[in-house]
Amino acid sequence: MRKKIVAGNWKMNTLPAEGVELAENIRADRNQVCSCVNFIVCPPFTHLGGVIEALRGSDIEVGAQNCAAEDKGAYTGEVSAAMLAALGCRYVILGHSERRQYYGETSATLNKKMAQAFANGLQPIYCVGENLEEREAGRHFEVVKTQIEEVIYNLTPAQFARTVIAYEPVWAIGTGKTATAEQAQEIHAYIRTILREKFGAAADETPILYGGSCKPSNAPELFAKEDVDGGLIGGAALKAADFLAIGKGFPQK
Ligand code: 13P
């Protein structure tokens, strides 16, 4: 049985006190959702201490949205994986399309960040996904394959076992356009196939999350699909009620 995960990527939203309040609100109503669902929140760096404190003793995990590629030293403005781990983060989002697109993150950078995450006990949520032009040209499989091969194929089996994958089609992020459940399933199954080619049956345990305009109304249809193990949520993660409602979208078994 694969883990069911609903992860919130808050991006650059909320002020620190608002972030703590959001975390408190999620915590307050968390028991309305099956304990079989794993909730993760990924606030901005500045909020991490307060949010971790607010969630202490609950089963809601905390992740960062990025980490440095180096371990420490003269890298002004960077935040190391060791710092995040020391604070109490368990996860780190790596390779989000916004980081690839606006901050020039390449597979070379991401290999270093993945190594930093693992060296410090953090579990990466590694994002892949094609843009609109690539989708329209029918290149989405190829794009995602390259993003997986250039980074995930470099992991050891032990590292791979601690990795979460998120498929986020760039054209669906923040646009209100969701991939159909069929489109999501098709590419999630494909991702699992290429993971299986390298890591064998371990790929059957890897959570593969869908991200891109996922909300309470479309989560049930997406999560009903065999290879969709949850969601990486942007906008809808900023309202406690919506975030939790997405967690109710898993099929009842
Ligand atoms: P939206 O849910 O706002 O489309 O964002 C998705 C995303 O990028 C999560 O990482």
Side-chain angles (χ1 to χ4, degrees):
M1 263 288 270
R2 284 192 288 275
K3 254 185 161 175
K4 298 178 172 69
I5 297 176
V6 176
N9 174 8
W10 296 4
K11 307 191 181 184
M12 197 170 73
N13 291 300
T14 71
L15 295 176
E18 294 165 339
V20 168
E21 192 183 341
L22 175 55
E24 285 168 352
N25 291 340
I26 294 169
R27 179 179 188 153
D29 290 332
R30 190 266 172 268
N31 62 3
Q32 294 178 6
V33 186
C34 177
S35 60
C36 60
V37 177
N38 296 272
F39 285 104
I40 303 168
V41 294
C42 303
F45 289 136
T46 43
H47 306 20
L48 286 169
V51 167
I52 287 168
E53 204 48 55
L55 296 176
R56 198 176 296 285
S58 79
D59 67 349
I60 303 161
E61 303 274 7
V62 179
Q65 298 172 20
N66 183 26
C67 74
E70 319 294 336
D71 68 341
K72 63 175 165 182
Y75 301 100
T76 302
E78 290 292 286
V79 176
S80 74
M83 294 171 190
L84 299 172
L87 214 49
C89 283
R90 175 160 170 196
Y91 292 93
V92 60
I93 298 172
L94 291 176
H96 192 281
S97 61
E98 288 151 17
R99 305 265 350 144
R100 294 181 192 261
Q101 194 179 341
Y102 307 140
Y103 302 97
E105 286 197 1
T106 60
S107 294
T109 324
L110 289 166
N111 280 315
K112 292 167 81 178
K113 293 188 175 196
M114 292 286 280
Q116 286 301 321
F118 287 118
N120 291 283
L122 297 176
Q123 291 186 242
I125 301 174
Y126 178 74
C127 304
V128 299
E130 80 286 356
N131 62 31
L132 185 59
E133 195 184 318
E134 292 160 342
R135 166 66 66 164
E136 285 176 343
R139 293 185 51 230
H140 43 295
F141 293 111
E142 172 196 331
V143 167
V144 163
K145 185 170 198 244
T146 303
Q147 290 168 336
I148 298 266
E149 283 182 348
E150 290 183 351
V151 177
I152 301 298
Y153 271 27
N154 297 328
L155 303 181
T156 64
Q159 291 173 334
F160 176 67
R162 295 176 51 74
T163 300
V164 175
I165 305 284
Y167 167 68
E168 301 203 311
V170 178
W171 48 271
I173 297 177
T175 59
K177 260 194 204 171
T178 322
T180 63
E182 288 68 32
Q183 284 173 322
Q185 169 57 25
E186 180 184 42
I187 199 145
H188 280 227
Y190 173 74
I191 291 169
R192 201 176 304 287
T193 302
I194 41 182
L195 294 176
R196 222 181 264 129
E197 280 169 16
K198 172 75 179 174
F199 296 101
D204 294 326
E205 305 301 319
T206 304
I208 306 179
L209 314 183
Y210 168 79
S213 301
C214 185
K215 46 187 187 267
S217 60
N218 58 28
E221 203 186 333
L222 288 159
F223 296 177
K225 295 292 180 190
E226 170 79 23
D227 290 288
V228 180
D229 305 310
L232 180 55
I233 320 299
L238 297 171
K239 284 198 187 126
D242 285 354
F243 184 60
L244 291 166
I246 290 171
K248 292 181 184 165
F250 290 97
Q252 307 291 322
K253 292 216 176 96

